[in-house]
Amino acid sequence: MRILFVGEIVGKLGRLTVGRVLPNLRQSAKIAVVLGNAENLAHGKGVTTTTLAEVQSYGVDALTSGNHVFWRKEVNEVFEENDPPIIRPANYPEDIPGKGFKILDLGKDGKVLLVNLLGRTFFNEPVFCPFRTVDKILEDFAGEKFAAIVIDFHAEATSEQVAMGWYLDGRVTAVVGTHRHVPTADCWVMPQGTAFVTDIGMVGARHSVLGVEPQIIIDKLKDPRPQKFEWVEEGPAVFNSVLIGVKDGKAKSIERVDKVLE
Ligand SMILES: [Fe+2]
Ligand SMILES: [Fe+2]
């Protein structure tokens, strides 16, 4: 079975790029399930019902998120749905809307457990220990058989993500990282059969700083006065993803699938 995990889909250009790349890729690579990160889906900030429906229509089956998931209030309506397509970090307090994991039923291919976690290093977010949180989730589902268990660890520090890879090696199918919007070149299958990558990257504007108009970020770095973010919505786009080959719950392969659309 093959799982595609798409990096953070940033704004309208990111969504349109998913629409241009995914349907063909899904078919040609015989992908069983497509996952993606949605924290920047709606004009670069948070998610809405329409932007979620749009990427689902292109073939994204379920979405994780991160520290920007609550930037738009509309996400609360999404989280009130029965079994919404999107999850939020599992180590947020329990009274926060949404769930930190989701089970996808792929029929004859079995069930996939998707988990979202948020890092703590260099983050100022009210979260519990991601290591203990994932232990608890895996313990709660110890009696269930999954075709794959996939963790999106949304974190700032690469060391925290690499450490999580080692912590979960052999216990889950894949640990993939998000948040920085910059892909890393360290895809590999760890000794006990867990696929790992520190950062998948993003889908969005190439002529940008992580999706934002470059001059705004240059000014922000040179000038202490506040800047209004403008997201780049046209021009060349990048599509960053990883393709994971799975057999009997273990990862057999992981490779980057990156494209540039001029
Ligand atoms: Fe992001
Ligand atoms: Fe983030």
Side-chain angles (χ1 to χ4, degrees):
M1 178 175 74
R2 285 165 157 195
I3 299 171
L4 187 79
F5 209 124
V6 180
E8 279 160 77
I9 304 161
V10 182
K12 185 176 160 193
L13 185 56
R15 300 194 306 272
L16 291 175
T17 304
V18 170
R20 287 170 70 191
V21 173
L22 188 56
N24 282 342
L25 179 62
R26 185 167 187 152
Q27 226 176 11
S28 62
K30 297 191 171 66
I31 295 162
V33 62
V34 178
L35 309 169
N37 186 299
E39 77 156 8
N40 302 102
L41 203 58
H43 199 60
K45 288 182 172 187
V47 299
T48 58
T49 43
T50 47
T51 51
L52 271 176
E54 182 183 342
V55 290
Q56 284 183 284
S57 78
Y58 302 140
V60 183
D61 297 299
L63 295 127
T64 53
S65 61
N67 55 312
H68 292 152
V69 66
F70 292 108
W71 277 21
R72 279 172 207 277
K73 288 202 178 81
E74 213 179 315
V75 76
N76 291 310
E77 287 168 36
V78 178
F79 283 142
E80 277 170 20
E81 285 170 26
N82 180 33
D83 198 23
I86 180 172
I87 55 174
R88 48 98 172 143
N91 48 338
Y92 274 146
E94 265 175 27
D95 55 319
I96 299 299
K99 278 208 164 115
F101 64 86
K102 180 177 170 69
I103 295 168
L104 290 107
D105 191 345
L106 307 183
K108 66 170 173 45
D109 283 327
K111 287 181 180 170
V112 172
L113 175 64
L114 177 64
V115 180
N116 199 182
L117 297 167
L118 195 62
R120 293 190 294 184
T121 309
F122 308 135
F123 256 140
N124 188 20
E125 290 280 310
V127 288
F128 298 111
C129 172
F131 295 87
R132 291 178 175 87
T133 302
V134 74
D135 280 345
K136 173 82 171 65
I137 293 170
L138 295 178
E139 202 182 295
D140 288 348
F141 287 110
E144 292 233 24
K145 183 153 170 47
F146 292 106
I149 301 174
V150 181
I151 315 289
D152 175 5
F153 189 24
H154 194 84
E156 191 77 79
T158 52
S159 57
E160 199 178 0
Q161 287 164 309
V162 175
M164 183 64 83
W166 285 109
Y167 190 67
L168 294 177
D169 183 25
R171 300 163 64 196
V172 306
T173 313
V175 177
V176 299
T178 55
H179 176 61
R180 285 155 302 244
H181 296 202
V182 175
T184 59
D186 59 342
C187 270
W188 72 307
V189 177
M190 301 185 85
Q192 305 300 319
T194 295
F196 179 80
V197 66
T198 299
D199 204 309
I200 306 172
M202 73 167 189
V203 183
R206 186 175 221 200
H207 294 185
S208 74
V209 177
L210 321 185
V212 177
E213 183 63 45
Q215 194 58 50
I216 292 171
I217 302 299
I218 294 167
D219 291 347
K220 185 178 155 59
L221 293 168
K222 286 177 69 187
D223 185 332
R225 289 167 291 185
Q227 305 284 336
K228 190 176 181 296
F229 275 24
E230 294 292 342
W231 302 81
V232 180
E233 298 289 21
E234 51 193 27
V238 292
F239 178 96
N240 298 142
S241 67
V242 290
L243 185 60
I244 303 155
V246 183
K247 196 165 184 251
D248 300 327
K250 299 268 183 191
K252 294 289 162 196
S253 62
I254 176 169
E255 58 179 294
R256 299 208 56 92
V257 180
D258 298 318
K259 295 179 188 295
V260 176
L261 276 69
E262 294 298 340

